[in-house]
């Protein structure tokens, strides 16, 4: 690369002065060449006159042996100062080191030291100005939820090494890389290839940088949570298989000032044994104190463990003493609906557990070798089955088991034919087994759709809760009337669990659906007769809770108006130079007092009444649930907190997949503070840059592709 003339490619002819730089003459006897005495010294550029064309021809034809020379490659200069200096040859044959910035020429000594060049660069004004004018582009993704962020670690006077360290720390956190990655030989080589001035980092240095990034992002997140009016939490516990200790994760959900749903991991802490309800409650309360949000908590979503019920009761009592809870605390404790659905499905799958085992082991047998897959493909081809894919499930994920069964059903006729090719294949369900599997899959299809919708964490889900629960109840009621004894027995167990958790009126899912302008009270009136026997009383309870919440919001609004008016009057007096005992002497003060009172008078018909009396919102061309964003609608109408309530703990449970990667067998000695920094910091950085976290490899089902026959 041409940097201004300091070096010239050996394969390109030189022009102008006829000087070749970077080429040495191998002449041990120091004889003169073309009339010039020249002795090579270390770290010195050597020059020679390029022979003309006739001389080159004579040398090539060996006509003059005395003029024959051998060119050798000179050792490359390694000092960084040569990025700012170039070797020039004067008319008298002497060489000088010329500064690229101020064109000053310094002597080149025989031993080749560069200290004088470094001193010159430190005092060279044009060089300092060029460093100051250098800009590093910091691109923000289009989906980024924060404004431009200035660099955490500012550049120094030589090289933006600290900015590079910040970028590496962000990469380590967001992709959950080991600290030792920065010491890897190929990583250093890659970085030096991209940035020659990059200097190798140690794992200790990058660990310190990650903590700096973590603390910086924590301050920014505190500013976000401080601006939120209400915050809902999800929490769950997880045991590290490598450290043999338990952690608790706490995730916050809120709507920011731009009306975008935000989700952030606030805490990932070690919970010492025996992990009682008191420990859980204290851990949550300490987190709220640390983040200064204990006065903003709206709801807390947990799974159905007994210690969670006790912990939430304790927290509810604590909060009730220090502040008023919305609707008297009836919305404070949210049971994870995904967990409830999971319990229902497990009861349904338990009845065909032996069939699932046969299908799973059969697919494992087929996938064990290429020959077996080929034979199964032949059997499928003979039975006119066009599908070419089976699936091996993840046993701990029922939805993948459902997918495995649905795909296996397509090949139910191929399994007996395959057994003819493989005499050792004994995993063969009967025709009755396949009929039972098909019946179960028809019911589980509803559960899967419901789970996929309400398990999201990047969009509001509370408003979609009621209609999905209604669909589940409708399916179970239909199954209970089936003439098939197998289906009736299965549905009976599932309905018992349903009534246990959803048998009473669920205010959150009802209120959130009412606040969806597509549903309002119409959906409640439509679903409740199917869900509850005493539907009229439950509908009345939902309406009362709505008006109670509306009154609370009005009271909060009135308080803000009064505070604003008080601060405004004080500011007005200060501007006019009046003290407390001084009257304005005009009608403005009296009118101001009148406005304070008149503006707080309630209209005969509230905004809630008008909202409920209006028709439901119908979006033109609407094709499904996914085409409407309730938050965007309420951005115009100014209500948001209920829609931010998470109805499942999936967001918190997803954090544990990262925990498994962070605390691997080689990092089991990590301290709890370091683990929290890695988990929380990684979540914050991914949110800032719009990066989605990847699932662990073992969380994906295995696809078995059948070869073409």
């Amino acid at each position: 690369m041409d940097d201004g003339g300091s070096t010239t490619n050996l394969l390109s002819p030189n022009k102008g002065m006829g000087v070749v730089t970077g080429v040495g003459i191998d002449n041990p006897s120091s004889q003169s060449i073309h009339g010039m005495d020249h002795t090579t010294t270390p770290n010195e550029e050597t020059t020679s006159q390029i022979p003309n064309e006739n001389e080159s021809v004579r040398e090539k034809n060996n006509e003059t042996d005395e003029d024959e020379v051998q060119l050798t490659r000179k050792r490359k200069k390694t000092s960084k100062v040569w990025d700012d200096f170039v070797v020039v040859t004067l008319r008298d044959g002497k060489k000088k080191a010329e500064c690229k910035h101020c064109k000053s020429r310094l002597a080149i000594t025989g031993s080749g030291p560069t200290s004088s060049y470094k001193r010159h660069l430190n005092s060279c004004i044009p060089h300092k100005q060029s460093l100051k004018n250098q800009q590093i582009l910091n691109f923000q993704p289009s989906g980024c939820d924060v404004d431009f962020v200035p660099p955490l670690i500012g550049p120094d006077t030589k090289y933006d090494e600290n900015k590079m360290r910040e970028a590496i720390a962000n990469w380590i956190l967001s992709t959950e890389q080991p600290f030792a990655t920065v010491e890897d030989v190929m990583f250093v080589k890659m970085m030096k290839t991209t940035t020659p001035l990059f200097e190798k980092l140690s794992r200790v240095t990058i660990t310190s940088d990650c903590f700096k990034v973590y603390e910086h992002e924590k301050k920014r997140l505190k500013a976000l949570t401080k601006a939120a009016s209400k915050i809902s939490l999800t929490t769950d516990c997880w045991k590290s298989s490598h450290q043999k200790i338990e952690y608790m994760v706490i995730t916050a959900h809120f709507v920011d000032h731009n009306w975008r749903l935000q989700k952030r991991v606030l805490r990932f802490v070690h919970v010492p044994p025996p992990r009682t309800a008191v420990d859980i409650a204290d851990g949550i309360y300490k987190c709220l104190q640390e983040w200064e949000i204990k006065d903003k908590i709206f709801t807390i979503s947990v799974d159905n463990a007994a210690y969670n019920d006790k912990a939430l009761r304790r927290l509810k009592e604590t909060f009730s003493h220090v502040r008023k809870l919305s609707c008297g605390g009836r919305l404070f404790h949210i049971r994870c609906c995904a967990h409830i659905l999971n319990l229902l499905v497990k009861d349904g799958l338990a009845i065909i557990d032996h069939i699932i085992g046969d299908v799973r082991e059969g697919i494992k047998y087929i996938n064990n070798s290429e020959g077996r897959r080929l034979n199964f493909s032949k059997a499928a081809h003979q039975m006119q089955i066009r599908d070419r894919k089976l699936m091996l499930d993840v046993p701990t994920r029922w939805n993948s088991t459902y997918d495995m069964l649905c795909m296996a059903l397509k090949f139910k006729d191929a399994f007996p034919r395959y057994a003819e090719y493989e005499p050792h294949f004994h995993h063969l369900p009967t025709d009755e087994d396949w009929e039972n599997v098909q019946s179960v899959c028809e019911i589980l299809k509803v559960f899967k759709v419901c789970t996929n919708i309400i398990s999201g964490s990047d969009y509001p889900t509370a408003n979609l809760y009621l209609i999905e629960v209604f669909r589940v109840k409708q399916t179970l009621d239909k199954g209970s009337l089936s003439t098939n004894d197998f289906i009736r027995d299965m549905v009976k167990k599932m309905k018992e669990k349903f009534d246990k958790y959803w048998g009473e009126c669920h205010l959150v899912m009802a209120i959130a659906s009412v606040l969806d302008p597509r549903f309002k009270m119409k959906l409640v009136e439509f679903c409740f007769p199917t869900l509850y026997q005493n539907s009229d009383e439950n509908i009345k309870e939902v309406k009362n809770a709505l008006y109670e919440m509306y009154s609370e919001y009005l009271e909060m609004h009135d308080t803000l108006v009064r505070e604003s008016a008080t601060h405004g009057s004080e500011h007005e007096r200060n501007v006019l130079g009046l003290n407390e005992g001084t009257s304005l002497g005009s009608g403005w003060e009296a009118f101001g007092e009148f406005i304070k009172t008149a503006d707080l008078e309630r209209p005969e018909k509230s905004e809630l009444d008008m909202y409920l009396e209006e028709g439901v919102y119908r979006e033109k061309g609407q094709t499904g649930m996914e085409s409407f964003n309730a938050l965007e609608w309420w951005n115009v109408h100014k209500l948001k907190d209920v829609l931010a309530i998470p109805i499942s703990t999936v967001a918190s449970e997803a954090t544990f997949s990262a925990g498994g990667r962070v605390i691997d067998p080689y990092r089991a000695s990590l301290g709890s503070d370091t683990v929290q920094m890695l988990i929380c910091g990684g979540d914050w950085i991914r949110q800032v840059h719009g990066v989605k976290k990847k699932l662990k490899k073992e969380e994906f089902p295995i696809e078995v592709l059948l070869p073409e026959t």
Side-chain angles (χ1 to χ4, degrees):
M1 183 175 180
D2 187 3
D3 62 355
S6 61
T7 59
T8 303
N9 194 310
L10 295 178
L11 299 180
S12 0
N14 205 321
K15 298 180 181 180
M17 296 178 61
V19 177
V20 177
T21 61
V23 179
I25 307 297
D26 187 8
N27 187 9
S29 60
S30 301
Q31 297 294 325
S32 65
I33 299 178
H34 300 298
M36 292 181 62
D37 292 329
H38 190 89
T39 303
T40 60
T41 58
N43 297 322
E44 178 180 344
E45 299 281 1
T46 59
T47 62
S48 66
Q49 297 293 332
I50 296 181
N52 58 38
E53 184 176 354
N54 293 332
E55 291 174 336
S56 299
V57 172
R58 287 198 302 269
E59 289 177 359
K60 183 176 181 180
N61 295 328
N62 295 322
E63 295 178 1
T64 55
D65 296 335
E66 294 179 355
D67 292 335
E68 184 176 348
V69 296
Q70 182 180 1
L71 301 181
T72 60
R73 186 184 299 272
K74 186 64 179 172
R75 183 174 66 87
K76 183 180 179 181
K77 298 180 182 299
T78 58
S79 177
K80 295 181 180 179
V81 299
W82 294 110
D83 294 333
D84 300 286
F85 281 90
V86 59
V87 177
V88 297
T89 303
L90 306 182
R91 293 181 179 179
D92 57 1
K94 294 183 179 180
K95 292 183 295 300
K96 295 285 187 178
E98 183 179 280
C99 176
K100 293 181 180 179
H101 308 285
C102 66
K103 305 303 179 183
S104 299
R105 293 175 177 175
L106 282 68
I108 298 178
T109 59
S111 58
T114 57
S115 300
S116 59
Y117 308 150
K118 294 179 181 178
R119 287 194 295 270
H120 171 79
L121 291 176
N122 290 335
S123 60
C124 179
I125 297 177
H127 173 248
K128 292 182 177 180
Q129 188 64 32
S130 67
L131 289 177
K132 183 178 180 181
N133 293 336
Q134 287 180 354
Q135 297 292 330
I136 301 298
L137 296 180
N138 189 354
F139 294 103
Q140 290 290 336
S142 59
C144 181
D145 57 6
V146 295
D147 298 327
F148 172 77
V149 184
L152 170 62
I153 310 172
D156 57 24
T157 57
K158 294 182 180 180
Y159 163 60
D160 230 347
E161 177 187 3
N162 291 329
K163 183 70 180 298
M164 180 64 73
R165 284 168 50 186
E166 180 187 358
I168 294 175
N170 279 279
W171 175 69
I172 291 288
L173 288 170
S174 63
T175 60
E176 298 158 1
Q177 299 291 331
F179 295 131
T181 300
V182 297
E183 297 177 345
D184 184 81
V185 174
M186 295 308 296
F187 174 82
V188 177
K189 182 177 179 64
M190 176 186 67
M191 296 301 296
K192 280 188 173 292
T193 301
T194 306
T195 309
L197 298 179
F198 176 78
E199 296 181 0
K200 181 180 178 181
L201 302 173
S202 69
R203 67 183 71 187
V204 176
T205 300
I206 201 62
T207 302
S208 175
D209 291 344
C210 287
F211 269 104
K212 291 179 181 178
V213 171
Y214 166 78
E215 293 296 337
H216 178 72
E217 293 298 327
K218 186 175 182 178
K219 291 179 181 178
R220 295 179 54 223
L221 181 54
K222 271 192 173 183
L224 272 179
T225 56
K226 185 177 181 180
S229 57
K230 296 288 185 181
I231 298 176
S232 294
L233 303 178
T234 60
T235 182
D236 204 354
C237 294
W238 169 75
K239 183 176 181 179
S240 169
S241 59
H242 302 298
Q243 291 183 320
K244 307 302 180 184
I245 62 177
E246 294 193 4
Y247 288 90
M248 178 174 66
V249 60
I250 301 175
T251 308
H253 305 256
F254 58 94
V255 179
D256 64 13
H257 61 282
N258 291 321
W259 286 83
R260 287 179 294 194
L261 182 63
Q262 299 291 345
K263 173 184 69 69
R264 295 291 192 278
V265 178
L266 299 184
R267 217 171 190 217
F268 193 89
V269 294
H270 166 50
V271 182
R275 197 184 67 175
T276 63
V278 175
D279 297 325
I280 299 297
D282 289 347
I284 295 175
Y285 195 78
K286 287 179 182 178
C287 174
L288 305 183
Q289 284 183 315
E290 178 185 355
W291 286 88
E292 301 174 357
I293 57 174
K294 60 180 182 295
D295 295 331
K296 298 177 180 288
I297 299 305
F298 192 23
T299 66
I300 301 180
S301 301
V302 294
D303 63 23
N304 301 295
Y307 61 81
N308 280 332
D309 292 342
K310 295 179 181 178
L312 266 293
R313 281 198 297 268
R314 180 183 177 90
L315 283 173
K316 184 177 177 180
E317 293 174 359
T318 302
F319 283 119
S320 298
H321 283 90
V322 296
R323 67 180 180 87
K324 184 179 179 181
L325 294 175
S326 182
C327 287
R330 285 177 290 173
L331 306 180
F332 184 73
H333 180 187
I334 307 296
R335 295 183 182 274
C336 173
C337 65
H339 189 257
I340 296 173
L341 286 174
N342 189 52
L343 293 177
L344 267 65
V345 171
K346 282 186 175 180
D347 285 343
L349 290 177
I351 200 170
I352 59 167
D353 189 58
H354 64 288
I355 306 176
I356 295 174
D358 279 341
V359 173
R360 183 183 294 128
E361 294 302 319
I363 296 175
K364 286 182 181 179
Y365 182 91
I366 295 170
N367 193 41
N368 195 46
S369 70
E370 182 180 1
R372 292 178 180 178
R373 289 194 299 271
L374 182 61
N375 286 338
F376 189 83
S377 183
K378 289 179 180 178
H381 181 73
Q382 292 173 7
M383 303 306 297
Q384 304 297 315
I385 300 174
R386 296 182 179 181
D387 291 271
R388 284 291 177 269
K389 185 169 69 173
L390 291 167
M391 179 178 288
L392 189 60
D393 70 333
V394 179
T396 56
R397 294 176 57 196
W398 73 263
N399 52 346
S400 69
T401 303
Y402 164 80
D403 291 334
M404 178 186 72
L405 294 176
C406 288
M407 291 186 179
L409 275 170
K410 299 176 182 179
F411 293 89
K412 65 178 182 178
D413 295 329
F415 280 94
R417 181 60 60 92
Y418 175 69
E420 297 176 4
Y421 289 100
E422 296 283 345
H424 298 291
F425 182 75
H426 304 299
H427 311 287
L428 195 60
T430 64
D431 292 340
E432 183 181 357
D433 290 340
W434 286 118
E435 290 178 4
N436 291 336
V437 167
Q438 187 165 359
S439 299
V440 171
C441 287
E442 289 176 358
I443 294 177
L444 294 187
K445 181 180 180 180
V446 176
F447 284 81
K448 184 182 179 181
V449 173
C450 179
T451 300
N452 290 341
I453 292 175
I454 64 181
S455 295
S457 56
D458 297 328
Y459 56 87
T461 56
N463 53 315
L464 309 176
Y465 192 7
L466 177 60
I467 195 169
E468 296 304 326
V469 173
F470 162 78
R471 178 62 176 149
V472 170
K473 182 64 162 56
Q474 193 180 50
T475 302
L476 294 179
D477 288 344
K478 182 180 177 180
S480 63
L481 301 176
S482 174
T483 57
N484 189 328
D485 294 338
F486 173 83
I487 295 298
R488 286 203 309 273
D489 292 340
M490 180 187 72
V491 168
K492 181 180 179 181
K493 294 183 179 180
M494 299 175 75
K495 285 194 68 174
E496 290 176 357
K497 283 282 173 59
F498 184 96
D499 294 336
K500 177 181 178 181
Y501 295 109
W502 286 325
E504 297 180 359
C505 181
H506 198 295
L507 283 180
V508 169
M509 69 177 180
I511 293 175
S513 65
V514 172
L515 296 179
D516 190 318
R518 298 168 297 172
F519 304 144
K520 299 189 177 180
M521 282 299 297
K522 299 297 183 183
L523 184 62
V524 173
E525 295 166 357
F526 172 73
C527 295
F528 271 35
T530 300
L531 292 174
Y532 310 111
Q533 293 180 352
N534 52 346
S535 58
D536 292 338
E537 294 181 7
N538 287 331
I539 291 174
K540 184 177 180 181
E541 183 180 356
V542 171
K543 287 184 177 180
N544 292 337
L546 274 169
Y547 282 97
E548 187 176 346
M549 285 188 64
Y550 180 71
S551 299
E552 292 171 2
Y553 273 90
L554 282 180
E555 183 179 347
M556 182 173 60
H557 173 264
D558 294 348
T559 302
L560 293 175
V561 170
R562 291 191 186 95
E563 292 178 355
S564 177
T566 302
H567 293 321
S569 299
E570 292 177 355
H571 176 71
E572 189 177 56
R573 289 177 176 275
N574 292 334
V575 171
L576 296 175
L578 303 175
N579 54 37
E580 294 182 1
T582 304
S583 173
L584 291 175
S586 68
W588 285 104
E589 186 174 12
F591 179 71
E593 294 297 326
F594 167 76
I595 287 296
K596 290 181 191 178
T597 305
D599 193 46
L600 296 179
E601 291 181 358
R602 308 282 165 79
E604 293 183 3
K605 184 174 290 189
S606 69
E607 293 182 12
L608 179 59
D609 291 323
M610 291 185 285
Y611 169 77
L612 294 177
E613 290 176 2
E614 291 176 353
V616 296
Y617 175 79
R618 297 178 182 178
E619 188 175 18
K620 186 177 180 180
Q622 180 177 336
T623 58
M625 305 286 285
E626 70 285 350
S627 61
F628 180 80
N629 190 325
L631 273 180
E632 290 181 359
W633 193 92
W634 277 107
N635 184 14
V636 181
H637 300 79
K638 306 303 178 187
L639 192 147
K640 58 186 177 182
D641 296 319
V642 175
L643 296 176
I645 297 175
I647 56 173
S648 74
T649 60
V650 171
S652 290
E653 292 171 0
T655 308
F656 299 142
S657 64
R661 285 192 290 267
V662 169
I663 314 174
D664 57 24
Y666 302 100
R667 308 175 78 180
S669 60
L670 287 177
S672 58
D673 290 341
T674 304
V675 171
Q676 177 168 257
M677 177 270 291
L678 291 170
I679 297 294
C680 296
D683 176 73
W684 303 341
I685 295 299
R686 283 190 292 270
Q687 293 287 345
V688 167
H689 296 282
V691 178
K692 297 291 184 181
K693 185 179 67 174
K694 296 181 179 179
L695 294 174
K696 293 189 295 184
K697 183 178 180 180
E698 58 267 24
E699 292 178 328
F700 291 97
I702 300 174
E703 292 186 349
V704 180
L705 299 178
L706 302 177
E708 294 289 343
T709 55

